Amino acid sequence: MEKFHTLTAVVAPIDRANVDTDAIIPKQFLKSIKRSGFGQYLFDEWRFLDHGEPGMDSSKRQPNPEFVLNQPRYRGAQILVARANFGCGSSREHAPWALQDYGFRVIIAPSFADIFFNNCFKIGLLPIVLDSKILDLIFVEVAMHPGYQLTVDLQNQSVSTPDHKLFEFEIDIFRKHCLLNGLDEIGLTLQHADKIKAFEDKRREQQPWLFA
Amino acid sequence: MQTLYDKLWDQHIVPTESTDAGSMSLIYIDRHLVHEVTSPQAFESLKLAGRKPWRLNSILAVADHNVPTTDRSDGIQDPISRLQVDTLDQNCDELGITQFKMNDLRQGIVHVIGPEQGATLPGMTVVCGDSHTSTHGAFGCLAFGIGTSEVEHVLATQCLLIKKSKTMHVVVEGQLGLGVTAKDIALAIIGKIGTAGGTGYAIEFAGSAIRELSMEGRMTLCNMAIEAGARAGMVAVDDTTINYIKGRPFAPQGEMWERAVTYWKTLHSEPEAVFDRTVTLDAAQIKPQVTWGTSPEMVTTIDGTVPDPARVTDEVKRKDMQHALNYMGLKANMPIQQITVDKVFIGSCTNSRIEDLRAAAQVVKNKKIAANIKLAMVVPGSGLVKQQAEQEGLDKIFTKAGFEWREPGCSMCLAMNDDRLNPGERCASTSNRNFEGRQGSGGRTHLVSPAMAAAAAIAGHFVDVRKMNG
Ligand code: SF4
């Protein structure tokens, strides 16, 4: 996993609540057995006027000029600001893969769906929860200033604006540690292999039917 | 005084004595269900890292999302779908994982076959790379969906690092009206608390109306817990649970059965247990539900009307509603019963079990689907459900009425195979998600119970199933 320390980048807004993972990456792209290449199909049904199928070259398709990510002012955005319950629905990790592959490294919303939130950390995409009032303010700023940027500082757990407003966010210390150091969670867990083994042996004795 | 969730949680913590894990705990996983869509990348990374599955007999695999529901003798036509199913077969064969292949009678939707085989047992932790894993909580176990990185984590370590949830008690007391089902309870709850209402919580469903439900009904309810935002839903173990499990292929037998049952009977919340939040519903007040929008919380009753965004003060909400109505091609204040449908889908891990098919068959018996219905299909949840239904003659009832009777799988719940809506088509569906494009790009989904879907097929528009029978 890639390390994350600080990031200053252009912000793109998705001004809708309950954005589900089906919208983030539609099902036809889930047929891939690879982990990469989903970025070009991110928000496919909203981003393109023609129907997308896996294998299509998105640079040759018909973009929907109305859709926010197609507006030149948001080109190169690495921070996405969104509304409540972002990432609800299907558990597909393809959704965080697509966001990351497209270029996003941080998503800021008033709330996230549980599974999506969890999946983001596993791949080094940072989901940040800020109060909806603060997001209201950021949405206004983004709309007013083309090229609007935010700075995210993971060590200090803060998001700051160009006019030096600073908003702090919460993050679990384990997740922070993994992100800052780019750690492989499986490797960390396997350091406890003997304890897992001991737990399993005891469980096998107490509830043998689980191991049949 | 512990809740059921607390008990299940405590039973599975692997003590690691480390302080660097923050609020996360290492939780042991008893059952790992695997399907073709969310596993290939996990198997690949596992192999690249030179790791092996920790405990093979914890895993049960099946292909369900991509499989065709029509004749399967020629295999899968779509080459990309075929590759994904073949990849699962290969991974399972190579590693020695138990799998029901596409033409096995036991094949079906992963959340139907787990319980059907007795592979889902009370007291277990059950995970699957699929959000509707919450279904299995109906058996008094802790069951939740995970992402592909976590699938790999469970394969490699038999554990997951997770944070304990808050607990929500959803208490439904009283008696359900005739023609009102678990699906209607689920949608009524989501209508009440919203699709994010359960975020951060594990829900326990309780109350006399829940105890009265069959296991099929409880599975429907727990299945929809994720649509309320809760990663896990559960119901305490009682005689209904134990009777359902008895004699199933993976269930314990003989003396082991007695031991297991003694333990399972402890799997309920203590009377004085405290929940972080409690929501109550009166079963007698619940009417058949129909969704009108593009989120399961956009729901109303069969005698209701499409709501009017003009009456909503919250601006974000109003815009969402307007957007949903445009997508759904509906007008504010229109009676739900005037909405005509093009297609009817009875199936999915929410409503494809034998009881669901019986309820739908009862409505269509000796009737014909309306002339405006382009397609009405029944997709049983598993080969065994299909076989059972055929033994009961349900297939004949459906086909006589004009329904298509298909092979088991996810089918038009998410349209990864050939079963889908065309742009603008409207569907009465027994599945769980009415998101934009879920059943096919541009398709319009209305979530209902199996009986309500069947009634819509006969009438050609939504009708109150309670007034239809007889
Ligand atoms: S039936 Fe639908 S919701 Fe259930 S597992 Fe299949 S695709 Fe997912």
Side-chain angles (χ1 to χ4, degrees):
Chain A
M1 192 167 81
E2 214 185 312
K3 291 181 189 179
F4 190 103
H5 289 276
T6 59
L7 172 74
T8 300
V10 170
V11 179
I14 296 274
D15 196 6
R16 278 180 75 172
N18 300 314
V19 171
D20 59 75
T21 53
D22 277 75
I24 298 172
I25 183 87
K27 75 268 193 140
Q28 61 270 35
F29 305 106
L30 270 48
K31 293 180 187 179
S32 166
I33 57 170
K34 299 209 178 67
R35 217 180 249 268
S36 55
F38 295 102
Q40 59 171 331
Y41 310 118
L42 176 71
F43 294 117
D44 201 85
E45 300 215 345
W46 295 347
R47 219 167 106 210
F48 298 100
L49 294 171
D50 55 345
H51 177 72
E53 282 296 330
M56 273 181 158
D57 178 355
S58 289
S59 66
K60 303 209 172 88
R61 292 174 53 200
Q62 249 183 298
N64 175 2
E66 306 268 287
F67 184 60
V68 40
L69 293 185
N70 289 329
Q71 297 170 20
R73 60 185 289 186
Y74 300 118
R75 205 158 282 154
Q78 293 182 71
I79 299 173
L80 188 71
V81 292
R83 296 294 188 181
N85 201 27
F86 189 82
C88 59
S90 154
S91 65
R92 58 188 71 165
E93 199 166 302
H94 311 67
W97 292 339
L99 286 158
Q100 191 179 54
D101 193 45
Y102 183 86
F104 289 112
R105 300 195 62 205
V106 174
I107 305 165
I108 308 176
S111 61
F112 292 90
D114 286 339
I115 303 178
F116 176 85
F117 187 70
N118 213 38
N119 284 344
C120 286
F121 285 106
K122 310 287 169 184
I123 64 163
L125 183 66
L126 175 60
I128 294 176
V129 176
L130 288 182
D131 190 85
S132 59
K133 296 266 184 325
I134 300 173
L135 277 151
D136 285 346
L137 190 131
I138 297 176
F139 269 94
V140 171
E141 295 285 315
V142 171
M144 270 168 39
H145 309 287
Y148 184 83
Q149 299 198 336
L150 286 172
T151 298
V152 177
D153 181 339
L154 178 58
Q155 182 62 50
N156 293 310
Q157 300 181 208
S158 69
V159 176
S160 47
T161 65
D163 55 350
H164 308 295
K165 285 196 194 73
L166 192 103
F167 308 112
E168 290 184 348
F169 62 89
E170 301 279 318
I171 181 172
D172 182 84
I173 60 163
F174 175 75
R175 286 172 163 160
K176 179 173 168 180
H177 176 71
C178 285
L179 273 174
L180 284 171
N181 299 293
L183 295 178
D184 162 22
E185 216 180 86
I186 295 179
L188 289 177
T189 301
L190 284 175
Q191 290 176 2
H192 299 298
D194 50 337
K195 285 162 194 143
I196 300 172
K197 194 85 202 28
F199 178 90
E200 191 170 57
D201 289 343
K202 206 174 85 200
R203 196 159 174 74
R204 185 178 280 118
E205 213 170 277
Q206 287 169 347
Q207 297 183 40
W209 60 87
L210 295 176
F211 294 82
Chain B
M1 284 290 141
Q2 288 191 303
T3 64
L4 170 58
Y5 176 73
D6 295 330
K7 288 182 184 177
L8 293 168
W9 180 263
D10 284 358
Q11 269 280 324
H12 290 89
I13 297 180
V14 179
T16 56
E17 299 144 22
S18 76
T19 48
D20 57 3
S23 56
M24 316 285 268
S25 301
L26 196 60
I27 293 295
Y28 185 83
I29 303 303
D30 295 310
R31 176 67 70 207
H32 189 185
L33 302 166
V34 170
H35 68 65
E36 81 276 22
V37 181
T38 53
S39 67
Q41 297 88 348
F43 281 117
E44 190 189 26
S45 307
L46 189 78
K47 208 189 286 176
L48 284 175
R51 293 172 177 142
K52 287 247 174 300
W54 180 283
R55 183 160 71 81
L56 281 177
N57 71 0
S58 68
I59 313 171
L60 177 62
V62 71
D64 52 6
H65 285 61
N66 278 282
V67 298
T69 57
T70 46
D71 182 20
R72 290 176 178 175
S73 46
D74 285 341
I76 302 175
Q77 300 307 314
D78 173 2
I80 324 178
S81 284
R82 188 171 62 231
L83 177 64
Q84 199 165 54
V85 173
D86 287 350
T87 304
L88 180 67
D89 290 359
Q90 267 166 25
N91 283 323
C92 291
D93 291 349
E94 214 171 275
L95 295 165
I97 290 169
T98 308
Q99 183 204 8
F100 300 155
K101 296 236 162 81
M102 189 169 78
N103 289 318
D104 191 311
L105 181 64
R106 299 166 298 177
Q107 182 269 343
I109 305 171
V110 66
H111 308 308
V112 174
I113 67 163
E116 183 173 81
Q117 292 294 323
T120 301
L121 295 173
M124 279 182 163
T125 39
V126 180
V127 296
C128 176
D130 194 287
S131 59
H132 291 100
T133 310
S134 59
T135 312
H136 307 261
F139 290 83
C141 51
L142 178 56
F144 54 92
I146 57 179
T148 297
S149 294
E150 289 178 310
V151 170
E152 185 190 347
H153 196 283
V154 176
L155 285 171
T157 70
Q158 208 60 40
C159 291
L160 275 179
L161 262 172
I162 48 173
K163 210 173 150 168
K164 195 173 179 188
S165 302
K166 290 177 285 182
T167 52
M168 186 187 292
H169 207 201
V170 175
V171 185
V172 192
E173 294 287 358
Q175 201 164 10
L176 283 177
L178 209 66
V180 183
T181 67
K183 181 64 162 287
D184 302 300
I185 304 181
L187 287 169
I189 293 167
I190 296 163
K192 183 165 173 155
I193 69 173
T195 47
T199 304
Y201 290 93
I203 296 181
E204 181 180 342
F205 298 100
S208 57
I210 307 300
R211 281 197 299 278
E212 284 298 310
L213 290 177
S214 64
M215 287 317 293
E216 282 87 349
R218 294 176 190 184
M219 284 188 258
T220 300
L221 193 59
C222 291
N223 175 278
M224 298 285 287
I226 184 68
E227 306 315 326
R231 213 171 168 184
M234 62 197 79
V235 176
V237 174
D238 61 9
D239 289 342
T240 306
T241 326
I242 291 165
N243 293 336
Y244 179 98
I245 299 167
K246 196 162 187 172
R248 303 219 169 234
F250 286 63
Q253 288 170 1
E255 186 215 348
M256 202 67 87
W257 170 259
E258 300 302 330
R259 259 177 87 182
V261 168
T262 309
Y263 169 61
W264 293 345
K265 287 194 166 157
T266 67
L267 296 172
H268 53 77
S269 292
E270 295 305 318
E272 274 109 71
V274 179
F275 290 80
D276 296 300
R277 187 178 167 195
T278 299
V279 174
T280 54
L281 269 86
D282 177 359
Q285 299 295 321
I286 300 174
K287 298 174 183 173
Q289 309 276 311
V290 183
T291 63
W292 52 265
T294 52
S295 160
E297 71 184 16
M298 294 174 166
V299 64
T300 187
T301 52
I302 183 62
D303 54 2
T305 53
V306 175
D308 190 346
R311 280 187 223 152
V312 175
T313 47
D314 182 291
E315 202 194 313
V316 176
K317 220 174 181 166
R318 184 171 60 237
K319 272 204 308 206
D320 278 349
M321 271 175 86
Q322 195 56 62
H323 195 105
L325 291 185
N326 288 346
Y327 181 86
M328 293 296 290
L330 295 174
K331 294 243 165 350
N333 303 314
M334 175 180 181
I336 295 293
Q337 307 210 22
Q338 279 175 18
I339 302 173
T340 56
V341 301
D342 304 305
K343 289 184 174 171
V344 175
F345 171 61
I346 296 175
S348 90
C349 58
T350 313
N351 284 127
S352 63
R353 298 181 181 82
I354 190 67
E355 187 185 279
D356 301 315
L357 304 193
R358 286 181 191 140
Q362 206 193 339
V363 174
V364 305
K365 195 168 190 175
N366 300 325
K367 298 193 180 83
K368 285 254 181 293
I369 59 172
N372 61 309
I373 302 291
K374 294 188 213 162
L375 171 72
M377 64 196 291
V378 184
V379 184
S382 71
L384 289 168
V385 169
K386 181 169 184 251
Q387 188 185 46
Q388 169 79 30
E390 286 170 356
Q391 278 164 8
E392 295 178 19
L394 305 184
D395 58 324
K396 297 270 169 356
I397 297 178
F398 284 118
T399 48
K400 256 197 208 151
F403 277 82
E404 292 191 14
W405 178 249
R406 298 288 188 89
E407 298 297 323
C410 294
S411 179
M412 209 158 71
C413 171
L414 95 165
M416 262 183 97
N417 66 358
D418 291 332
D419 311 332
R420 65 186 62 174
L421 298 181
N422 294 317
E425 278 180 345
R426 190 179 298 285
C427 181
S429 177
T430 66
S431 56
N432 42 54
R433 286 186 177 140
N434 49 355
F435 300 158
E436 283 184 20
R438 171 79 180 181
Q439 294 193 288
S441 180
R444 295 160 171 166
T445 303
H446 295 268
L447 304 176
V448 286
S449 73
M452 284 287 288
I458 302 304
H461 57 89
F462 290 108
V463 280
D464 192 337
V465 68
R466 296 173 300 177
K467 299 191 179 135
M468 204 174 153
N469 264 341

